[in-house]
């Protein structure tokens, strides 16, 4: 909302400068987001009269004028404006005048000059050149009775306008009077209510049936006045200026007055042309289903039975608190008007405004809450202004249909409680002084407490905590003492649920991966790239923002593929990435609604920064596997295994399942070709998906010291020909299962196929390490075990020893 | 004195021999011939006993000095030979690219989360989380949001057919925590939230938040201030100042908006802080008594503060990132910078 300081000064003493006042208001909760200054006319611009105008000899559009600046001299001025006619009184920037660029650019100084060979001693100005308006059609013509030689700045005093950012709870700030009240509470001075003086109206029963309210639940108070014989015309310049300063377009005197009073006192008002009301009467009721109205914006609205309307005896003439109807508005021919000032239920106005997708300054105020105590005053103020500016006669008394007033809350204020909430020393007296300054009634109870009754416009003050806020706000939050931070432990830190998640991230980062953070909302196609899911499994909000963001991701796959596509298209070809995030599914057989997953992706060169041969090394299956092994070992989860798997997301034969503690915990391998189609990805992509829960709950190896043998190890190698399908894991677990004495490690060191071995067969070679904790092993005993292993391999596994 | 002359001549000869030594074994030969077991200098040792007593002192000194001298000369000769040998060896082009050790990076959002959690943990807060699909009760009702509050509308929040929603803040974690535990409670809740904003440079459909909650018998607004001041100093640096302004949130009363000194201009005023010298960093306040009642706490016996901060905002300010979309593009040239 915008507030003009010139306007504000009508009601309250402004004894601090605009910047300081803005600071004070901001610090007490009324945030001044922006200070806009209407430019002041520079010094040196004076009023002057054009004595004569001649055509410039060397120009089609310039004129040469003789101008009287009021000091007895006559100045020759070259001017390009179309309206520099003799007799006009205009602003003249005399030599030496400096125009400052409002944007902070270069200053512009008026000097003696020659235009197309003719000397010119100053510049006559348009309204825009003086920063007074956007009018640049010609010179600003001043009234003919304007004295000459006077500074123009005296005629156009500058104004400062605040752009206020209001909080939801303070609709009482939605008017100049409302802001003035708080300025008064903060800065003191004098507070003066504008004039509401009205002549007495003769007693009459003519208007007894003027207003009928059939929906008092939605309209607890409705008032009307009738003014006869008004003249609809432009409103005076001062009013137009004030409205323009705060961004409201002047229309005519009657409409401008209703807007002016709304901006002044915060009560939206409406004026009906009484001659356009069927039977000249007003009925406040719920709309009937199927009723329609054309509002002042020229659009048609379908009304429903829950909406409150103002109607005549035939049809709706306004959407209550939102917008008037086109049909009953003020026209140039209007003579008799009904002035409405009312209080509507805020939820009703909000619902109507939302349903019709129609909002206005009026609905903005009613939705937040209009001061019910201001309704009569606003009516009187507007009537006062109408009579003054539009003439006519007030013919009716105030016609009011209202429910009995709801008593204001009485809030118990315990001084100690407020001090405890704020952690600030504030005396009882200071608290009650603050309440009184804010227009609240204070009823002392005893030394410890009092009752506080807020005024009708402070709908936000309903409980003790609200009073604490008022004390903090007015006394100043800067007065909060510096207290030491209390580092109290309220729970075991082992309950910290973020730390284990961060640890998984740390472990993944330590393997060399970069973390991505992708959107949880994706399009259906990307979501279904993960072939585990069907459309029925997807979790979709009923109100997505677009089709691209219509689905809660069922897995991290779609997002990761997007990241890879983005990077590849920007020639970032070597990628080692991961993401951890929430995924969503409606099918409890797949997973219950929401869980966290881990996704890893590898593609491109392993050592892109090196050259020649090294650069051709691409990430492969065993990079991904080794990464997982490193990761799991770093996390202390030793109980893992890998098992060949088949999955449509992965290339056949290049996919494995990760088993943790005997349970499937993830799957990885080379991405199926379908996933990367159209991506211009020329290197194989390896992906891994894991469930975070499985990682977090995996058994951890207790970290106990293992004695280190002081005795040397002995190794023996064994090589054999095995069928091509023979898995490494089969050999190793076969050897380990034999539990041979002092055998501490078995490692594959060679594997190959060639013609001499023959098709369907391969050569495998293992290195066996023997070591004892308590002695140096002799060759004989090692050889004995070694021979046993060889023979077991030959007979148990059926391989052909070499 | 014959002995002294002998010493001198041995040292001089050794000097010449070492100067012309070409290999390690040349040096070794000199050593053996002088101070070795059968060396000429070693042979002088027994003669020292025969020196007359008045000359003994002088002779002993000369002998010891000469021995040290020889040792040093031999050592020096060895070193220069070794140096020469190395100089002739293969020379690496040290400017060739190194074989980099792969070190990954956390996303800047995660880094900020980690840093915030670490700072608050030091102040005794426990980090905890909750689901992103939430109930209306946890996200709005329990938090005292009025029934017609705009944030409840489908314009602002994502809803599901069953009436549940994507949480619009991490505050439901506060509710879950308070429903599960009696006071004192002292938590921070880092996490992802959702609002129906059309994505642009400063908005996305999701954003990340960290919220804090501290409930005990006598927690005050002053405690909130010191907690946020400590956070600001730890996160942005010791020179950061904090100011609080009254504000409004349904779940707190009194409510405050917390501004930190603009880190760009140090408070002088610039484009980023719209010339105010301050940057809005946290919304906070004393937990509204209605919220306490809604979770079964007695507002007469407990009170406390809550605060919330935007992780994107903190990260953008700290690292001077201007476009929010950088976070979700995940371009590795971006990720590698943090």
């Amino acid at each position: 909302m915008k507030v003009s300081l010139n306007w504000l000064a009508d009601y309250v003493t402004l004894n601090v400068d605009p910047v300081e006042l803005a600071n004070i208001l901001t610090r007490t909760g009324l945030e001044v987001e922006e200070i806009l200054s209407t430019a002041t006319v520079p010094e040196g611009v004076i009023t002057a009269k054009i004595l004569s105008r001649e055509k410039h000899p060397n120009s089609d559009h310039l004129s040469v004028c003789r101008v009287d600046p009021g000091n007895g001299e006559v100045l020759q001025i070259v001017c390009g404006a179309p309206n520099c006619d003799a007799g006009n009184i205009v602003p003249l920037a005399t030599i030496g005048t400096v125009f400052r660029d409002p944007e902070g650019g270069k200053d512009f100084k008026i000097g003696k000059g020659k235009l197309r060979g003719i000397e010119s001693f100053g510049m006559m100005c348009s309204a825009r050149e003086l920063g007074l308006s956007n009018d640049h059609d010609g010179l600003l013509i001043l009234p003919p009775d304007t004295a000459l030689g006077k500074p123009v700045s005296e005629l156009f005093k500058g104004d400062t306008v605040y752009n206020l950012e209001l909080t939801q709870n303070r609709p009482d700030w939605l008017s100049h009077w409302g802001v003035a009240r708080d300025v008064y509470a903060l800065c003191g001075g004098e507070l003066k209510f504008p004039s509401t003086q009205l002549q007495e109206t003769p007693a009459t029963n003519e208007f007894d049936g003027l207003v009928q309210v059939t929906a008092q639940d939605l309209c607890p108070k409705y008032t009307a006045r009738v003014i006869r014989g008004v003249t609809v015309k432009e409103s005076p310049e001062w009013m137009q200026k004030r409205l323009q300063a705060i961004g409201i377009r002047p229309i005519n005197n009657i409409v401008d007055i209703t807007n002016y009073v709304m901006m002044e006192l915060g009560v939206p008002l409406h004026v009906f042309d009484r001659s356009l009301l069927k039977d000249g009467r007003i009925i406040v009721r719920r709309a009937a289903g199927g009723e329609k109205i054309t509002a002042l914006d020229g659009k048609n609205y379908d009304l429903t039975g829950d909406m409150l309307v103002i109607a005549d005896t035939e049809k709706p003439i306004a959407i209550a608190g939102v917008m008037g109807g086109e049909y009953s508005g003020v026209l140039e021919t209007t003579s008799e008007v009904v002035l409405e000032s009312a209080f509507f239920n805020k939820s009703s106005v909000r619902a109507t405004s939302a349903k019709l997708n129609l909002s206005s300054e009026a609905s903005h105020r009613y939705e937040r809450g209009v001061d019910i105590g201001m309704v009569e005053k606003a009516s009187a103020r507007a009537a006062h202004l109408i009579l003054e500016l539009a003439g006519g006669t007030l013919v009716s008394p105030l016609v009011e249909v209202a429910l009995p007033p709801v008593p204001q809350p009485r809030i118990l204020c315990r001084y100690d409680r407020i001090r405890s909430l704020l952690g600030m020393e504030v005396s009882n007296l200071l608290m009650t002084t603050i309440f009184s300054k804010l227009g609240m009634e204070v009823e002392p109870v005893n030394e410890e407490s009092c009752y506080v009754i807020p005024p009708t416009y402070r709908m936000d003050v309903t409980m003790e905590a609200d009073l604490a806020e008022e004390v903090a706000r007015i006394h100043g939050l800067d007065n909060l003492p510096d207290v030491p931070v209390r580092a109290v432990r309220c729970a075991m830190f082992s309950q910290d649920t973020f730390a284990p998640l961060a640890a998984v991230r740390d472990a993944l980062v330590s393997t060399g991966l970069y973390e991505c953070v992708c959107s949880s909302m994706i399009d259906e196609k990307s979501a279904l790239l993960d072939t585990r899911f069907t459309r029925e499994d997807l979790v979709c909000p009923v109100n997505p923002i677009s089709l691209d963001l219509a689905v809660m991701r069922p897995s991290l796959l779609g997002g990761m593929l997007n990241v890879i596509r983005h990077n590849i298209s920007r020639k970032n070809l070597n990628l080692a990435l991961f993401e951890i995030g929430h995924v969503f599914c409606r099918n409890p057989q797949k997973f219950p609604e929401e869980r966290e997953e881990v996704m890893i992706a590898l593609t491109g060169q392993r050592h892109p920064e090196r050259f020649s041969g090294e650069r051709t090394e691409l990430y492969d299956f065993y990079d991904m596997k080794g990464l997982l092994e490193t990761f799991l070992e770093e996390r202390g989860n030793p109980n893992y295994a890998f098992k060949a798997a088949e999955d449509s997301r992965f290339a056949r034969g290049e996919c494995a399942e990760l088993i943790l503690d005997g349970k499937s915990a993830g799957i990885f391998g080379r991405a199926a070709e379908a996933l990367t189609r159209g991506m211009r990805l020329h290197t194989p992509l390896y992906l891994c998906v894991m469930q975070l829960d499985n990682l977090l709950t995996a058994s951890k190896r207790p970290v106990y010291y293992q004695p280190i043998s002081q005795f040397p190890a002995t190794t023996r190698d064994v090589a054999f020909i095995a069928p091509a399908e023979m898995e490494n894991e089969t050999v190793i677990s076969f050897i380990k299962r034999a539990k041979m004495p002092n055998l501490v490690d078995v490692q594959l060191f060679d594997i190959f196929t060639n013609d001499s071995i023959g098709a369907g067969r391969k050569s495998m070679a293992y290195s066996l390490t023997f070591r004892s904790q308590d002695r140096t092993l002799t060759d004989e005993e090692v050889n004995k075990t070694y021979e046993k292993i060889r023979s077991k391999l030959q007979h148990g596994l059926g391989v052909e020893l070499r | 004195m014959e002995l002294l002359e002998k010493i001198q001549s041995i040292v001089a000869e050794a000097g010449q021999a070492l100067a012309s030594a070409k290999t390690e074994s040349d040096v070794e030969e000199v050593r053996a011939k002088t101070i070795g077991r059968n060396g000429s200098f070693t042979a002088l040792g027994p003669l020292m006993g025969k020196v007359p007593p008045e000359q003994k002192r002088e002779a002993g000194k000369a002998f010891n000095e000469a021995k040290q001298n020889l040792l040093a000369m031999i050592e020096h000769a060895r070193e220069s030979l070794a140096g020469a040998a190395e100089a002739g060896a293969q020379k690496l082009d040290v400017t060739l690219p190194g074989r980099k050790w792969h070190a990954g990076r956390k996303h800047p959002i995660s880094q900020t989360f980690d840093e915030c959690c670490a700072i608050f943990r030091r102040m005794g807060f426990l980090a905890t989380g909750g689901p992103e699909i939430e109930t209306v009760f946890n996200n709005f009702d329990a938090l005292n949001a009025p029934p017609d509050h705009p944030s409840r509308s489908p314009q602002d929040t994502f809803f599901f057919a069953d009436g549940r929603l994507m949480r619009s803040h991490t505050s439901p974690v506060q509710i879950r925590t308070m429903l599960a535990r009696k006071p004192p409670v002292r938590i921070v809740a880092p996490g992802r939230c959702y609002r129906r904003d059309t994505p642009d440079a400063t908005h996305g459909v999701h954003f990340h938040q960290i919220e804090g909650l501290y409930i005990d018998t006598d927690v005050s607004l002053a405690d909130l201030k010191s907690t946020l001041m400590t956070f600001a100093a730890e996160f942005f640096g010791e020179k950061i100042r904090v100011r609080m302004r009254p504000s409004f949130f349904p779940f707190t009363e009194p409510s405050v908006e917390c501004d930190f000194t603009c880190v760009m201009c140090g408070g002088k005023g610039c484009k980023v802080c719209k010339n105010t010298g301050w940057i809005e960093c946290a919304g906070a306040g004393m937990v509204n008594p209605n919220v306490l009642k809604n979770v079964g706490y007695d507002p007469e016996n407990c009170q406390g503060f809550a605060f919330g901060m935007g992780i994107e905002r903190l990260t953008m300010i700290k690292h001077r990132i201007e476009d929010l979309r950088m976070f979700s593009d995940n371009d590795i040239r971006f990720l590698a910078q943090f």
Side-chain angles (χ1 to χ4, degrees):
Chain A
M1 191 190 81
K2 285 182 174 170
V3 162
S4 144
L5 291 199
N6 282 354
W7 192 344
L8 203 59
D10 281 2
Y11 319 122
V12 68
T13 323
L14 296 181
N15 46 18
V16 289
D17 71 71
V19 175
E20 176 60 16
L21 181 62
N23 201 23
I24 292 173
L25 293 177
T26 300
R27 303 309 309 279
T28 50
L30 180 52
E31 189 182 352
V32 178
E33 210 181 26
E34 209 177 356
I35 304 175
L36 309 154
S37 296
T38 55
T40 47
V41 175
E43 252 179 82
V45 180
I46 57 164
T47 54
K49 186 172 186 172
I50 303 173
L51 299 173
S52 68
R53 171 183 185 173
E54 279 161 32
K55 212 186 138 308
H56 192 294
N58 306 323
S59 163
D60 284 343
H61 69 279
L62 291 176
S63 306
V64 182
C65 299
R66 289 172 61 246
V67 174
D68 173 8
N71 60 358
E73 286 177 52
V74 173
L75 299 173
Q76 175 173 291
I77 313 274
V78 177
C79 182
N83 62 344
C84 57
D85 298 322
N88 281 340
I89 297 180
V90 296
L92 169 70
T94 52
I95 285 165
T97 304
V98 177
F99 286 88
R100 304 208 182 278
D101 184 344
E103 321 266 82
K106 247 185 155 180
D107 291 348
F108 167 63
K109 192 173 172 182
I110 301 289
K112 192 172 84 177
K114 255 188 191 174
L115 281 109
R116 300 262 175 117
I118 304 280
E119 282 194 310
S120 183
F121 298 88
M123 181 178 90
M124 296 188 281
C125 309
S126 70
R128 191 172 80 181
E129 281 159 341
L130 297 179
L132 295 171
S133 80
N134 279 330
D135 187 357
H136 197 53
D137 291 341
L139 301 178
L140 174 65
I141 308 293
L142 299 167
D145 55 349
T146 308
L148 301 185
K150 298 287 174 225
V152 174
S153 60
E154 280 180 15
L155 300 177
F156 298 97
K157 272 175 108 182
D159 192 5
T160 300
V161 173
Y162 288 162
N163 201 356
L164 300 176
E165 169 87 29
L166 300 187
T167 49
Q168 278 277 337
N169 60 331
R170 295 296 304 269
D172 59 303
W173 277 331
L174 282 165
S175 68
H176 282 75
W177 174 250
V179 173
R181 272 189 305 234
D182 256 44
V183 172
Y184 167 73
L186 294 164
C187 306
E190 214 185 315
L191 189 64
K192 202 178 108 216
F193 198 78
S195 173
T196 55
Q197 213 187 359
L198 291 174
Q199 74 219 52
E200 289 278 317
T201 47
T204 169
N205 57 7
E206 189 193 340
F207 301 103
D208 284 358
L210 180 71
V211 176
Q212 191 191 343
V213 180
T214 65
Q216 281 204 300
D217 54 332
L218 303 186
C219 177
K221 184 182 263 187
Y222 193 94
T223 72
R225 287 181 201 269
V226 178
I227 300 168
R228 198 165 278 163
V230 298
T231 310
V232 177
K233 57 182 180 189
E234 270 200 1
S235 48
E237 204 184 320
W238 64 265
M239 183 175 276
Q240 294 198 22
K241 264 212 182 119
R242 284 193 169 179
L243 290 174
Q244 279 167 341
I246 59 169
I248 293 180
R249 190 166 55 91
I251 296 178
N252 60 46
N253 52 357
I254 304 289
V255 173
D256 291 356
I257 287 167
T258 59
N259 283 332
Y260 185 84
V261 175
M262 171 170 67
M263 290 302 174
E264 184 178 49
L265 302 178
V267 181
L269 303 171
H270 196 73
V271 172
F272 301 101
D273 182 331
R274 192 158 180 227
S275 70
L276 300 176
L277 303 186
K278 176 87 172 167
D279 300 329
R281 289 175 53 210
I282 281 174
I283 300 163
V284 183
R285 59 167 169 88
R286 285 185 164 81
E291 275 187 311
K292 289 175 196 303
I293 188 170
T294 308
L296 280 169
D297 62 359
K299 290 183 191 152
N300 295 316
Y301 294 94
D302 292 327
L303 304 172
T304 55
D306 52 346
M307 296 176 181
L308 187 69
V309 296
I310 315 301
D312 58 15
T313 54
E314 201 174 66
K315 62 195 170 305
I317 50 173
I319 310 163
V322 181
M323 196 171 276
E326 192 177 51
Y327 155 78
S328 60
V330 174
L331 306 169
E332 283 190 15
T333 54
T334 296
S335 158
E336 183 166 322
V337 296
V338 181
L339 169 65
E340 165 197 296
S341 177
F343 180 89
F344 302 115
N345 174 287
K346 58 181 186 177
S347 304
S348 159
V349 173
R350 169 168 297 156
T352 303
S353 161
K355 229 169 170 179
L356 298 177
N357 194 18
L358 173 66
S359 59
S360 61
E361 290 283 353
S363 67
H364 185 76
R365 282 166 178 76
Y366 278 120
E367 276 174 14
R368 284 162 179 78
V370 161
D371 177 12
I372 197 164
M374 188 60 82
V375 168
E376 292 96 334
K377 285 183 205 159
S379 171
R381 172 67 176 156
H384 169 88
L385 287 170
I386 291 174
L387 295 172
E388 188 182 309
L389 304 176
T393 323
L394 183 61
V395 292
S396 81
L398 181 76
V399 179
E400 181 179 274
V401 180
L403 292 173
V406 179
Q408 283 302 102
R410 243 165 124 245
I411 306 162
L412 181 65
C413 164
R414 292 163 297 175
Y415 303 119
D416 274 344
R417 181 85 178 134
I418 294 205
R419 281 186 282 265
S420 155
L421 277 172
L422 299 180
M424 175 158 65
E425 267 316 306
V426 195
S427 72
N428 302 357
L429 179 64
L430 183 54
M431 286 191 219
T432 52
T433 310
I434 288 172
F435 301 144
S436 303
K437 268 207 253 178
L438 291 167
M440 300 178 184
E441 269 180 63
V442 177
E443 285 177 14
V445 176
N446 54 31
E447 284 298 296
E448 279 91 48
S449 58
C450 66
Y451 277 106
V452 177
I453 301 157
T456 50
Y457 52 85
R458 289 304 303 272
M459 286 154 275
D460 61 309
V461 179
T462 60
M463 57 182 179
E464 206 173 31
D466 297 319
L467 298 176
E469 173 158 279
E470 294 308 305
V471 171
R473 197 168 74 78
I474 304 297
H475 184 50
L477 287 164
D478 285 346
N479 288 320
L480 283 176
D482 284 336
V483 296
V485 172
R486 301 200 229 174
V488 186
R489 195 189 71 168
C490 296
M492 289 289 287
F493 278 94
S494 54
Q495 292 171 17
D496 189 305
T497 56
F498 191 75
L501 176 62
V504 171
R505 284 205 180 92
D506 283 328
L508 288 168
V509 164
S510 76
T511 63
L513 300 175
Y514 282 55
E515 187 190 12
C516 306
V517 171
C518 300
S519 174
S520 317
M521 291 182 177
I522 58 177
D523 61 297
E524 190 183 283
K525 203 175 143 214
S526 302
L528 294 178
L529 279 176
D530 194 318
T531 46
R532 280 176 297 171
F533 301 97
T534 64
R535 179 178 280 168
E536 288 67 41
D537 299 333
L538 301 178
V539 175
C540 308
V542 291
N543 54 340
I545 202 145
S546 70
L547 279 177
D548 282 348
L549 304 166
V551 174
M552 301 310 301
R553 56 184 177 187
S555 82
L556 304 178
L557 180 67
M560 184 58 85
L561 291 171
N562 276 336
V563 172
I564 291 166
R565 180 178 298 111
H566 170 97
N567 277 291
I568 295 296
S569 70
R570 279 157 185 78
K571 298 275 180 258
N572 303 326
L573 303 177
N574 309 300
L575 303 169
L577 307 167
F578 79 98
E579 181 180 12
I580 300 180
H582 287 244
V583 292
F584 306 86
C585 172
R586 270 177 65 190
N587 182 348
Q589 311 205 305
K590 293 185 179 162
F591 64 86
E593 187 161 281
E594 184 175 341
R595 67 176 180 188
E596 282 172 279
E597 279 190 358
V598 182
M599 175 110 215
I600 303 173
L602 293 176
T603 193
Q605 292 149 4
R606 204 180 292 144
H607 287 295
E609 69 278 6
R610 294 287 296 175
F611 45 87
S612 67
E614 287 184 19
R615 191 177 269 174
T616 59
E617 282 176 34
L618 299 180
Y619 284 118
D620 67 16
F621 180 90
Y622 297 104
D623 285 313
M624 181 63 89
K625 184 181 172 188
L627 184 147
L628 293 175
E629 288 168 324
T630 308
F631 165 71
L632 292 166
E633 270 153 32
E634 148 118 12
R635 290 191 43 80
N637 302 141
N639 207 0
Y640 62 83
F642 300 94
K643 205 171 92 187
E646 263 191 48
D647 186 298
S648 53
R649 288 165 292 169
F650 297 97
R652 270 187 88 113
E654 287 190 63
C655 171
E657 200 176 0
L658 167 66
I659 315 280
L660 261 176
D661 296 327
K663 285 184 304 193
S664 172
I667 192 160
F668 68 99
R670 185 156 71 84
E673 200 263 333
L675 296 183
T676 56
R677 203 168 287 153
M679 222 187 251
R680 272 183 286 164
L681 180 66
H682 301 303
T683 53
L685 169 66
Y686 294 90
L687 297 173
C688 170
V689 186
M690 293 184 282
Q691 286 83 59
L692 184 71
D693 245 8
N694 292 334
L695 296 176
L696 296 180
T697 56
S699 66
K700 293 221 172 185
R701 178 185 58 225
V703 185
Y704 297 141
Y705 159 72
Q706 301 293 316
I708 297 163
S709 173
Q710 302 296 316
F711 301 96
T714 309
T715 60
R716 294 287 185 275
D717 294 344
V718 57
F720 50 81
I721 308 286
E725 315 81 62
M726 177 77 72
E727 285 186 343
N728 172 49
E729 189 59 37
T730 313
V731 178
I732 289 187
S733 51
F734 176 82
I735 299 174
K736 282 188 174 166
R737 258 202 323 274
K739 292 203 163 42
M740 302 309 289
N742 299 320
L743 176 67
V744 292
D745 197 16
V746 184
Q747 293 285 341
L748 176 77
F749 76 86
D750 197 17
I751 186 163
F752 66 90
T753 54
N754 63 24
D755 291 348
S756 67
I757 295 168
R761 285 156 39 108
K762 62 184 172 186
S763 165
M764 299 175 98
Y766 288 83
S767 168
L768 312 172
T769 305
F770 301 88
R771 193 203 290 273
S772 160
Q773 283 293 343
D774 48 28
R775 68 203 147 87
T776 302
L777 296 174
T778 63
D779 273 354
E780 296 86 82
E781 56 184 330
V782 169
N783 287 342
K784 210 169 131 198
T785 317
Y786 174 63
E787 285 309 327
K788 261 192 196 152
I789 292 171
R790 285 177 62 90
S791 128
K792 272 178 185 288
L793 282 170
Q794 191 173 12
H795 299 110
L797 214 52
V799 299
E800 185 183 314
L801 293 174
R802 303 187 84 191
Chain B
M1 198 168 64
E2 197 185 345
L3 188 60
L4 291 182
E5 279 165 18
K6 227 169 196 166
I7 290 172
Q8 275 164 12
S9 74
I10 290 172
V11 171
E13 272 169 36
Q16 278 168 15
L18 287 172
S20 57
K22 297 233 163 23
T23 63
E24 181 81 0
S25 60
D26 293 345
V27 178
E28 177 54 25
E29 197 186 318
V30 177
R31 191 198 67 84
K33 278 188 173 164
T34 52
I35 53 175
R37 194 175 292 175
N38 300 313
S40 52
F41 190 81
T42 311
L44 297 179
L47 299 179
M48 291 299 288
K50 294 173 184 159
V51 173
E54 67 275 13
Q55 290 173 6
K56 223 170 196 163
R57 203 182 140 85
E58 194 190 348
K61 197 175 158 218
F63 183 82
N64 284 331
E65 274 176 9
K67 182 157 187 191
Q68 292 308 318
N69 218 344
L70 281 168
L71 282 168
M73 282 159 59
I74 290 163
E75 187 54 25
H76 177 78
R78 277 204 178 120
E79 273 172 16
S80 31
L81 278 177
E86 242 166 52
Q90 178 203 7
K91 220 172 139 190
L92 287 181
D93 177 356
V94 296
T95 65
L96 286 181
R99 198 170 289 117
K100 286 203 178 119
W101 291 66
H102 285 225
R105 301 282 170 88
K106 273 194 190 182
H107 194 282
I109 293 288
S110 291
Q111 292 185 22
T112 304
F113 266 140
D114 282 359
E115 199 176 341
C116 291
C117 286
I119 294 168
F120 286 116
R121 282 192 192 108
R122 289 200 286 278
M123 290 190 261
F125 289 82
L126 186 82
T128 185
E132 293 176 1
I133 297 179
E134 265 293 358
T135 60
V136 170
F137 178 81
N138 285 344
N139 197 75
F140 290 125
D141 297 346
L143 289 157
N144 198 38
D148 51 3
H149 196 269
S151 64
R152 288 180 182 253
S153 81
Q155 297 269 327
D156 287 17
T157 300
F158 293 104
F159 284 93
F160 297 105
D162 63 2
R164 288 185 303 157
L165 44 81
M166 291 310 294
R167 64 179 179 191
S168 61
H169 40 199
T170 51
S171 313
V173 178
Q174 298 184 15
I175 299 300
R176 285 172 178 273
T177 307
M178 289 193 282
L179 286 172
R181 271 213 294 267
K182 292 285 136 210
V185 167
R186 201 172 161 83
I187 56 154
V188 285
R192 180 176 282 199
C193 328
Y194 300 81
R195 286 188 197 165
R196 265 186 103 251
D197 285 321
T198 306
D200 63 21
T202 51
H203 297 90
V205 288
H206 75 246
F207 60 98
H208 299 87
Q209 246 192 358
I210 186 162
E211 290 201 335
L213 174 75
Y214 180 20
I215 307 282
D216 206 337
T217 53
D218 57 348
V219 181
S220 72
L221 197 61
D223 290 317
L224 168 66
K225 190 179 181 181
S226 62
T227 301
L228 290 177
M229 276 171 65
T230 306
F231 171 79
E234 293 275 357
F235 190 81
F236 284 118
E238 266 187 283
K239 284 193 184 137
I240 295 295
R241 281 165 299 128
V242 169
R243 77 167 185 186
M244 298 209 304
R245 287 180 286 119
S247 189
F248 171 71
F249 307 107
F251 27 89
T252 49
E253 188 71 42
S255 299
V256 295
E257 197 77 63
C258 211
D259 300 339
F260 294 171
T261 325
C262 176
V263 290
M264 300 290 184
C265 60
K268 283 195 222 79
C270 66
K271 205 178 99 190
V272 172
C273 59
K274 289 192 201 145
N275 279 313
T276 60
W278 297 97
I279 292 184
E280 226 171 86
C281 280
M286 298 299 291
V287 177
N288 192 304
N290 293 332
V291 175
L292 298 175
K293 279 184 217 156
N294 290 341
V295 295
Y297 285 12
D298 177 4
E300 288 295 312
N301 294 322
C302 65
Q303 61 189 46
F305 64 69
F307 60 83
M309 292 185 284
I311 295 296
E312 277 82 356
R313 187 167 174 75
L314 291 175
T315 313
M316 287 169 94
I317 293 167
K318 185 160 198 166
H319 298 299
R320 313 196 170 190
I321 299 164
E322 278 167 12
D323 193 330
L324 191 69
R325 286 169 292 204
M326 293 311 296
F327 290 131
S328 48
D329 277 353
N330 295 298
D331 192 303
I332 51 165
R333 293 166 298 177
F334 173 77
L335 298 176
Q337 291 176 27
F338 302 94

